Amino acid sequence: MKTHSSEIPTTPLPGPRILIIEDEAPMRAVLKDILDTEGFRVLTAIDGEEGLQRAVREKPDLILLDIMLPKLDGFALCAELRCLGIQTPVLMLTAKGQVEDRVTGLDSGADDYLVKPFSIDELLARVRALLRRRQKRTRAVAALKLGDAYIDLVKQTARRGRGNIHLTAKEFAMLRLLAEAEGEPVTRDRFLDVVWGYAAFPTTRTVDNHIANLRAKLEPDPENPKWIKTVHGVGYRLDL
């Protein structure tokens, strides 16, 4: 239906802002065209140093990050963002498809990993999934107090009294997921999907190992946990 001249046109809400950090001009242009067409607002950077600066300054809603970058590679860039407390979702795009490269990317703080070449539909599905996850995080629990331990889930710091407790990025993410569940059990598959990303290369045993580490750091008696409880046949829940 055509709009009559007497009608006041509506202005669509601005789409999420996505930063593309990619040194290859053809790939950068293709990605920008795809995202522009879908209504996203696109920022670009051509090397790791510029990408880091733009990510810190512009605070995009999502980052598409190539690994093989000049000046600062994608692994180092992502790790630096997380060290700075920047939790913007990161989707790594790379020609490196080996499992060890994917694990390195996820361990550096990436949320998901997509191997080139990829389909437009798959790229957009991953982008939308990460943006939905980010929206949920805006309503997330900001902090937890477990006995004399205080965990800041926003700044990703933890302390007991005057001493710091070292928690990894994965451990903070698992605590956040448990807290958001509000006492309901979180399945191992849910941990893998949210914490390790869309392509869950680790096994459910990896979840169990991380839970054991969390208990060792936070529970007075890790063998008889007070807060991080096992729900047999399902997963884990947080009792506060």
Side-chain angles (χ1 to χ4, degrees), residues 24-212:
E24 295 183 5
M27 175 60 72
R28 191 169 62 248
V30 167
L31 291 171
K32 186 176 187 307
D33 287 344
I34 292 169
L35 296 172
D36 280 339
T37 301
E38 293 296 315
F40 297 109
R41 294 175 290 165
V42 181
L43 311 169
T44 62
I46 64 173
D47 60 53
E49 287 186 0
E50 181 189 8
L52 179 61
Q53 292 170 1
R54 295 211 74 177
V56 172
R57 183 176 67 249
E58 304 285 352
K59 297 179 175 60
D61 298 293
L62 175 68
I63 297 172
L64 300 189
L65 177 62
D66 187 36
I67 287 181
M68 302 301 291
L69 293 168
K71 299 186 179 180
L72 186 68
D73 69 47
F75 296 140
L77 191 159
C78 190
E80 181 63 20
L81 287 175
R82 299 311 186 226
C83 286
L84 293 172
I86 296 171
Q87 295 307 307
T88 303
V90 172
L91 173 57
M92 282 191 168
L93 306 176
T94 179
K96 289 190 171 186
Q98 291 85 358
V99 170
E100 56 267 28
D101 292 318
R102 302 184 192 196
V103 171
T104 300
L106 295 170
D107 281 345
S108 70
D111 297 86
D112 203 352
Y113 198 107
L114 194 55
V115 179
K116 302 173 185 176
F118 47 80
S119 72
I120 293 174
D121 288 342
E122 184 176 12
L123 170 67
L124 293 174
R126 302 285 186 97
V127 165
R128 287 190 290 265
L130 288 173
L131 289 172
R132 285 195 300 270
R133 195 180 304 168
R134 178 179 173 82
Q135 289 173 350
K136 291 180 181 178
R137 286 178 181 173
T138 62
R139 299 188 295 272
V141 178
L144 284 173
K145 194 172 188 306
L146 304 178
D148 59 352
Y150 180 83
I151 302 102
D152 188 324
L153 296 171
V154 177
K155 296 180 180 178
Q156 295 208 340
T157 58
R159 67 176 186 271
R160 179 177 288 112
R162 294 186 178 181
N164 293 327
I165 305 171
H166 174 71
L167 299 179
T168 67
K170 294 283 191 299
E171 289 167 350
F172 277 112
M174 294 180 79
L175 284 173
R176 180 190 296 277
L177 192 56
L178 286 165
E180 289 174 353
E182 299 180 336
E184 294 293 321
V186 179
T187 67
R188 291 173 176 83
D189 286 341
R190 176 69 174 157
F191 279 116
L192 289 174
D193 181 43
V194 174
V195 177
W196 275 265
Y198 184 91
F201 298 103
T203 65
T204 53
R205 184 61 188 165
T206 302
V207 175
D208 297 336
N209 291 337
H210 278 70
I211 289 290

